[in-house]
Amino acid sequence: MAATVTPPGRPRQPSLSQLKAFAAVAEHLHFRDAAAAIGMSQPALSGAVATLEDTLGVQLLERTTRKVLLSPAGERLAARARSVLAEVGALLEEAEAARAPFTGVLRLGVIPTVAPYLLPTVLRLVREQYPRLDLQVHEEQTASLLDGLAQGRLDLLLLAVPLGAPGVVELPLFDEDFVLVTPRNHWLGGRTDIPREALGELDLLLLDEGHCLRDQALDICREAGRTEGAPVTTTAAGLSTLVQLVGGGLGVTLLPRTALRVETGRNDELATGDFADPAPTRRVALAMRAGAARAEEFEELAATLREAVRPLPVRVAG
């Protein structure tokens, strides 16, 4: 079929229904299947695609009696059409959320050293109090989460703070102490008054580069007077592996108290010790973009979550 040319002065504005019809044909390469997929009659779908070709002045499809193929231009424009439809869908979701708080999609980013221990509380809260909220969880390291928030890929973050990131508002949830995890017969195991200075010369096991918990642990060690040359073994990508290495006698590590029951309860070769006051701590918070359209909703969620975490071994932020 020869490409048609749009007359001069005629608006070159395809409609969403035309783009939807074309995207369906591009996916299925069959008019009947495409029409069924989007709930449109086959003649209407065929007419919408033809009108789109006329509007754009480009042949999108190669039609034969047996099959439908995308033209070279159709290949390129199909990706554009899908992108436009996705953005329109996101716009509609945002409008729905603005009309009714705690509805629509909420893309929550969580760091790995928080996710396994706090998500059960978060998911139960959402299920019970916000049943119309479509919560989508993404577990990533801090740098990736902040990039996703800045780019609009994520709506809200659950992570350790402070972040020191421009354009990000932190909504503090709670503070929790760090606990020393040792092999069962270690001289510090079971103590409740460990001075921070004890960290100075211990064989310390930490998470890999990129985990904020590693950076926090190193900060604690530096504050305790640990020298730069003191041994630090970095062999674990997650806390579960880290505590198993401790149980095997390779060293000691620091765990946030919310992780303690999950990570140490299944290994009899571990012991724990508490630091003397003031114990080293971390703060966990929600983080959102400054000026976020759903800021009031996120602030309410933070307040509700603070109440939900009270049974946990944490100190809720005021």
Side-chain angles (χ1 to χ4, degrees):
M1 184 187 83
T4 55
V5 179
T6 303
R10 180 174 173 179
R12 302 172 66 85
Q13 293 290 333
S15 70
L16 289 177
S17 62
Q18 292 166 6
L19 293 176
K20 186 176 181 181
F22 170 52
V25 174
E27 178 181 355
H28 295 277
L29 294 178
H30 195 286
F31 278 94
R32 185 179 64 248
D33 294 345
I38 63 174
M40 181 183 287
S41 71
Q42 187 172 333
L45 179 134
S46 181
V49 174
T51 301
L52 178 62
E53 290 179 312
D54 181 58
T55 299
L56 299 178
V58 174
Q59 182 179 345
L60 301 172
L61 305 176
E62 296 178 6
R63 300 164 176 83
T64 71
T65 56
R66 302 181 63 180
K67 59 183 177 181
V68 177
L69 298 175
L70 290 174
S71 69
E75 291 277 4
R76 298 195 301 273
L77 293 178
R80 292 284 188 180
R82 285 189 290 266
S83 178
V84 169
L85 292 171
E87 288 300 318
V88 170
L91 182 148
L92 294 175
E93 288 175 356
E94 190 70 21
E96 180 182 1
R99 291 194 304 271
F102 300 107
T103 61
V105 175
L106 173 59
R107 298 163 297 182
L108 176 69
V110 192
I111 57 174
T113 57
V114 166
Y117 322 114
L118 199 59
L119 275 181
T121 299
V122 173
L123 296 177
R124 182 169 57 251
L125 171 68
V126 170
R127 183 172 61 251
E128 293 175 356
Q129 299 202 32
Y130 310 118
R132 297 180 61 197
L133 188 64
D134 179 10
L135 183 66
Q136 299 177 2
V137 177
H138 302 262
E139 185 184 66
E140 303 170 22
Q141 293 184 10
T142 300
S144 177
L145 293 181
L146 287 173
D147 180 69
L149 187 68
Q151 298 300 322
R153 178 173 59 84
L154 299 172
D155 304 309
L156 190 64
L157 308 182
L158 177 59
L159 72 180
V161 297
L163 299 168
V168 176
V169 176
E170 299 171 6
L171 305 172
L173 298 175
F174 61 83
D175 298 310
E176 61 176 328
D177 293 341
F178 282 99
V179 177
L180 187 69
V181 181
T182 72
R184 183 176 58 185
N185 296 321
H186 195 276
W187 65 283
L188 290 175
R191 287 184 55 175
T192 59
D193 60 347
I194 300 172
R196 293 195 191 198
E197 292 73 20
L199 293 170
E201 299 300 330
L202 294 174
D203 292 327
L204 190 64
L205 299 169
L206 297 177
L207 292 174
D208 291 336
E209 296 280 357
H211 288 275
C212 64
L213 187 58
R214 172 192 172 92
D215 298 330
Q216 292 165 340
L218 288 174
D219 287 342
I220 293 167
C221 291
R222 279 190 287 269
E223 291 172 5
R226 186 182 182 92
T227 61
E228 291 295 330
V232 175
T233 303
T234 306
T235 54
L239 293 183
S240 295
T241 302
L242 203 61
V243 297
Q244 299 311 312
L245 295 175
V246 173
L250 297 186
V252 302
T253 196
L254 295 170
L255 280 189
R257 191 171 289 280
T258 51
L260 208 59
R261 181 179 61 82
V262 172
E263 300 300 348
T264 65
R266 52 183 179 240
N267 192 330
D268 295 335
E269 298 302 316
L270 297 171
T272 61
D274 294 337
F275 289 92
D277 289 334
T281 64
R282 75 169 179 177
R283 170 161 285 193
V284 174
L286 293 176
M288 64 180 180
R289 288 183 296 276
R294 302 169 74 177
E296 291 186 8
E297 182 180 340
F298 295 159
E299 290 170 357
E300 181 180 338
L301 178 61
T304 307
L305 190 52
R306 288 186 197 106
E307 294 304 311
V309 301
R310 287 191 183 278
L312 301 179
V314 302
R315 294 181 298 281
V316 174

